[in-house]
Amino acid sequence: MASVAEEDSGPVYDTGYDSALVERLRVGDRDALATLFEQYADRLYNHCFRRLGDYADAEDAVSTVFLTLWRHRRKAQVHDGSAAPWLFGIATNVCRNAERGRRRHLRVVAKAGSVGDLDGPDPAERVTDRLADEQRMRELLAQVRTLSRGEQDVLALVIWSGLSYVDAAAALDIPVGTVRSRLARARARLAGTEGAQR
Amino acid sequence: MNDFENLTPPPERPLTPAQRARLRLRLPRPDEEERGRPWLLPAAAAAAAVAVGVGGAVALARSVDENDGAQRNPGPAASGPAPTATTPAATVTASTDPCAEVTKGETISGAQAQLHAIVTQGPNSCLSSAPPASCAHEVRDQLPGATEVAGNATDGVSFWTSGQRWTLCFHDASVTTVHRVQTLDAPLVGEQRFAFSTDHGDTVAGHMPSTFVAGGPLGGGDSRISYTFPDGHVQEATYVTGSDGSRWWIVQYVARTGVLADPRTNWGQLAPVVARLWGTDVSAPEKTELPWGASGCNQVNHGC
């Protein structure tokens, strides 16, 4: 599991550097964009994978995240010197939309009666451990989907991606207290689900 | 926190070099805003659509969370697409489910096709996990009512027209690529005329095969076209005649080795592709440089 930020002091990143990068990004410096990509692409990729349960979709989502942040670069924000909350906020929105689109697609495909053919991974993904990871992640997501959307967002950011409460609050544009309460509700709800399954 | 132990996700994986290379290639290019890729406008609308959906969800979530009573924390999440949420395009897009309109044998209107194009970009696509569709299916989304007029089955390249509008489609076992739609009566010139699509295959033994395709109607005075790629390869065009007698040219190159098939390649630093067009004077071809970012992503139905 990613490092857990039970307290407000989450993982520490090189935040001062982000401030300068975001300043450059705001004025259209593409090198800053490239640097942010190199710095955050892996983390965002894994975050999106944990939201989507599919590595190929996660890759596409990362692409959209960087396209989106470039288009909205003038509104780029840093929180305590870190661009992570802003980036993870965009990623949360992108992945949420991607998930919604995929569900629509699967419904349409299911109606066409060929979901079995289309739901599989592409040839590049036919590697046993990756498939196993995707399967594992989808099982987790099936459990997590018993939570509200907001609770899922908080859980993914704080528990899985290791953001602090403060950063998760900034990413989701909600108060820190809401992060705490959502996480508490998620914990209680999952415990209840687990108990019911026993 | 132990309550979440049963939700331990798989270990993190870094992006592979091939993934990283693909993503780098998809980063916005220097002249993108000025020239614009054909899918940027719809992508913006798609982003707005995200904002509408997300805005609604956030509003709902906030109303649920009001009992928390904590001080609101001005955050950045809404700083993504949210500012464009009130645009008319966003309203139209958000209120439609374009994926529901994708049914075999069904004709869709131009507006629906545009909406469908909006959602078929990248991860927002309702078709993003689907295998390559046929040209007939993909072209229909970009150029409703089009019919195939010419093609080369060997290359997998076909040309489609609807009135004065036309597009190119490339189809192989792994991808179907539709180029931006152009008009016959107002043909593009220079870089835009010779822009090509780029499709990357799966990495095998350290090589990431890349397929480059360009083509279009052959002008009256055109006698020969060739492309020179940064790896030194010179690809001569092939020529086909349409069912209506029209003449078309095709350039297709699959790089299986070298710098164009190396996942570590920084595409932004590659020398441009050079297109050469010979007219009646065969000794003096017209040279057009094709920068990778601006001219190497001529597809409209998926990313580069």
Side-chain angles (χ1 to χ4, degrees):
Chain A
M1 182 179 293
S3 60
V4 170
E6 178 67 19
E7 304 302 327
D8 283 354
S9 55
V12 177
Y13 305 107
D14 187 3
T15 54
Y17 186 56
D18 278 5
S19 296
L21 271 180
V22 167
E23 279 302 316
R24 288 166 50 202
L25 184 74
R26 285 192 189 119
V27 296
D29 184 339
R30 284 166 199 278
D31 288 341
L33 175 73
T35 304
L36 281 170
F37 170 80
E38 298 301 337
Q39 188 171 326
Y40 283 100
D42 279 337
R43 290 179 63 196
L44 294 171
Y45 172 63
N46 282 285
H47 177 70
C48 290
F49 169 70
R50 290 188 290 260
R51 300 310 307 267
L52 299 169
D54 184 292
Y55 285 111
D57 287 352
E59 180 185 334
D60 281 343
V62 171
S63 177
T64 300
V65 167
F66 282 93
L67 178 64
T68 303
L69 78 86
W70 176 252
R71 293 183 60 79
H72 297 279
R73 62 189 178 275
R74 291 181 185 85
K75 301 180 183 73
Q77 297 185 26
V78 287
H79 290 264
D80 292 332
S82 173
W86 185 57
L87 293 173
F88 276 87
I90 292 173
T92 297
N93 292 347
V94 166
C95 293
R96 180 185 291 166
N97 192 58
E99 183 192 357
R100 186 183 302 134
R102 189 173 53 188
R103 283 203 302 271
R104 277 199 303 261
H105 163 59
L106 291 177
R107 280 201 302 271
V108 172
V109 171
K111 285 178 186 172
S114 57
V115 68
D117 293 337
L118 300 185
D119 198 23
D122 70 36
E125 303 297 333
R126 288 175 188 155
V127 181
T128 306
D129 54 350
R130 290 175 79 88
L131 278 177
D133 284 356
E134 290 185 337
Q135 180 61 32
R136 166 68 182 155
M137 200 62 234
R138 285 172 182 164
E139 289 169 3
L140 288 182
L141 288 172
Q143 290 183 55
V144 166
R145 287 193 181 111
T146 61
L147 306 176
S148 74
R149 181 63 65 181
E151 290 162 1
Q152 291 179 43
D153 289 344
V154 168
L155 185 147
L157 287 171
V158 175
I159 304 300
W160 287 343
S161 291
L163 265 66
S164 69
Y165 286 7
V166 171
D167 283 352
L172 298 173
D173 191 19
I174 58 177
V176 177
T178 303
V179 172
R180 291 181 185 281
S181 60
R182 285 184 184 177
L183 208 52
R185 281 201 296 267
R187 184 180 289 120
R189 206 177 297 213
L190 288 169
T193 304
E194 206 170 271
Q197 288 175 343
R198 283 178 185 153
Chain B
M1 202 54 54
N2 289 338
D3 303 329
F4 294 112
E5 274 184 354
N6 290 336
L7 294 179
T8 303
E12 296 204 342
R13 292 176 182 275
L15 289 159
T16 65
Q19 288 177 309
R20 206 167 262 280
R22 283 196 295 264
L23 287 168
R24 282 196 194 106
L25 194 62
R26 291 188 208 170
L27 289 176
R29 301 290 168 182
D31 52 357
E32 200 159 67
E33 285 174 314
E34 292 73 22
R35 298 166 56 93
R37 288 183 187 171
W39 47 268
L40 269 185
L41 189 59
V50 174
V52 171
V54 169
V58 168
L60 282 171
R62 284 177 185 165
S63 66
V64 170
D65 289 325
E66 279 176 1
N67 292 337
D68 293 325
Q71 182 66 36
R72 282 199 46 71
N73 183 26
S79 65
T84 56
T86 55
T87 62
T91 304
V92 171
T93 306
S95 63
T96 308
D97 181 356
C99 297
E101 297 157 4
V102 182
T103 307
K104 282 186 176 179
E106 180 185 356
T107 301
I108 58 177
S109 69
Q112 287 171 325
Q114 185 182 11
L115 285 167
H116 182 60
I118 288 171
V119 298
T120 52
Q121 310 303 324
N124 297 335
S125 170
C126 54
L127 298 176
S128 61
S129 60
S134 66
C135 277
H137 183 280
E138 291 294 297
V139 169
R140 187 184 67 185
D141 291 343
Q142 308 298 333
L143 188 56
T147 55
E148 182 177 354
V149 292
N152 182 328
T154 306
D155 291 339
V157 174
S158 54
F159 294 97
W160 299 70
T161 62
S162 175
Q164 286 296 304
R165 305 178 76 209
W166 69 273
T167 189
L168 178 156
C169 181
F170 164 64
H171 178 73
D172 70 7
S174 61
V175 70
T176 299
T177 297
V178 180
H179 283 201
R180 70 184 290 187
V181 174
Q182 299 184 38
T183 56
L184 291 166
D185 50 0
L188 298 175
V189 296
E191 289 179 30
Q192 293 184 327
R193 178 183 181 192
F194 294 108
F196 56 93
S197 59
T198 302
D199 289 306
H200 299 291
D202 300 318
T203 303
V204 178
H207 296 296
M208 183 176 68
S210 301
T211 303
F212 311 102
V213 176
L218 199 61
D222 302 341
S223 61
R224 177 186 164 199
I225 293 170
S226 78
Y227 279 48
T228 303
F229 290 85
D231 60 358
H233 178 82
V234 177
Q235 183 65 50
E236 292 288 339
T238 57
Y239 307 93
V240 294
T241 301
S243 54
D244 57 356
S246 55
R247 291 278 290 160
W248 304 79
W249 60 274
I250 299 168
V251 165
Q252 184 191 52
Y253 171 44
V254 183
R256 301 186 190 282
T257 59
V259 67
L260 297 178
D262 187 337
R264 298 164 300 181
T265 293
N266 184 338
W267 295 78
Q269 294 180 348
L270 281 180
V273 175
V274 177
R276 287 182 172 80
L277 168 67
W278 283 264
T280 50
D281 180 359
V282 294
S283 65
E286 174 187 316
K287 273 176 59 176
T288 303
E289 291 197 344
L290 306 172
W292 286 93
S295 305
C297 185
N298 202 31
Q299 55 256 51
V300 292
N301 63 325
H302 60 74
C304 304

